[in-house]
Amino acid sequence: MQFRFVPSLTVFIGSYFPLSLILLAQDYRYDLLWAPFCWPPGTGNCVVPLQNGTLSLIVFVLCLFCLVFSLGALATVKPKTPVDIKEAKYIPAELMAYTLPYVVSFMSLEYKDTGKFVGLLIFLGWMFIITYRSGQLILNPLLIVFGWRLYEVTLSYPGKNAVNITSWALSKADLQPGTRCNVATIQDVRIIRLTKAEGAADAST
């Protein structure tokens, strides 16, 4: 399962939004927490309440934008093609590699420490290349927070000569064998949602 490069990079950057928030909080000047609000910063007595200028804020906004874009792209998908689920296996996200940068962020990492910051960027760059090349970019724990789960499913399209297809798929539903769902495909990634009939049946049980 592999996105094209630019969408993959967007998803990867968005997945580290919590890390950018941690670094922003670490960069904040808490001695100015109760200072009177003034605008624009950098003029007269107005100062940016960040130790390293606006760099941490720019990184935070970039990660936030990529996260919102990724979630928005998933939310706008409208699966319309019916499929029958034969098998469905939930695939847990890989947490170890994902959490390493967070551990590093608490080891005296600051934006003004150029060497450590560049080292973190190199590490994240390698992480991106590995996950992109291996096709495991979609194993993103942050998607769990927003209700998305990754499955390995065996499905077939309705018809007399139905052929079973095994692939990975994202869904907010609890996929079960023997159910009919709707599917859409975005760059080789299947997005599956229960049909209204199945959703109503689940709600009534």
Side-chain angles (χ1 to χ4, degrees), residues 13 36 62 83 96 104 115 120 128 130 138-139 150-151 156 164:
I13 294 175
L62 174 63
V83 293
M96 180 56 69
V104 174
L120 177 62
F128 169 70
I130 292 171
I138 206 65
L139 292 172
L150 182 65
Y151 291 88
S156 64
N164 289 343

Side-chain angles (χ1 to χ4, degrees), residues 143-166:
L143 292 177
I144 299 174
V145 178
F146 297 94
W148 290 97
R149 306 180 79 190
L150 182 65
Y151 291 88
E152 181 180 356
V153 297
T154 300
L155 54 84
S156 64
Y157 294 89
K160 294 182 179 180
N161 300 319
V163 177
N164 289 343
I165 301 172
T166 300

Side-chain angles (χ1 to χ4, degrees), residues 35-151:
F37 178 79
C38 60
W39 187 265
T43 59
N45 295 326
C46 285
V47 295
V48 178
L50 299 171
Q51 300 178 32
N52 297 285
T54 58
L55 178 59
S56 58
L57 184 60
I58 292 173
V59 173
F60 171 79
V61 171
L62 174 63
C63 291
L64 177 61
F65 172 80
C66 290
L67 174 62
V68 172
F69 180 85
S70 301
L71 294 175
L74 289 174
T76 55
V77 176
K78 303 297 183 184
K80 297 180 179 179
T81 305
V83 293
D84 295 320
I85 303 296
K86 305 298 183 180
E87 297 179 6
K89 178 183 177 182
Y90 170 63
I91 301 178
E94 173 56 55
L95 296 178
M96 180 56 69
Y98 179 78
T99 55
L100 281 176
Y102 291 88
V103 176
V104 174
S105 71
F106 290 105
M107 297 173 61
S108 302
L109 176 64
E110 298 179 357
Y111 282 99
K112 63 182 177 182
D113 193 336
T114 306
K116 289 185 178 179
F117 184 65
V118 172
L120 177 62
L121 292 180
I122 294 174
F123 173 74
L124 290 175
W126 277 109
M127 285 277 294
F128 169 70
I129 293 174
I130 292 171
T131 54
Y132 176 70
R133 292 294 185 183
S134 64
Q136 296 182 353
L137 184 70
I138 206 65
L139 292 172
N140 180 359
L142 195 59
L143 292 177
I144 299 174
V145 178
F146 297 94
W148 290 97
R149 306 180 79 190
L150 182 65
Y151 291 88

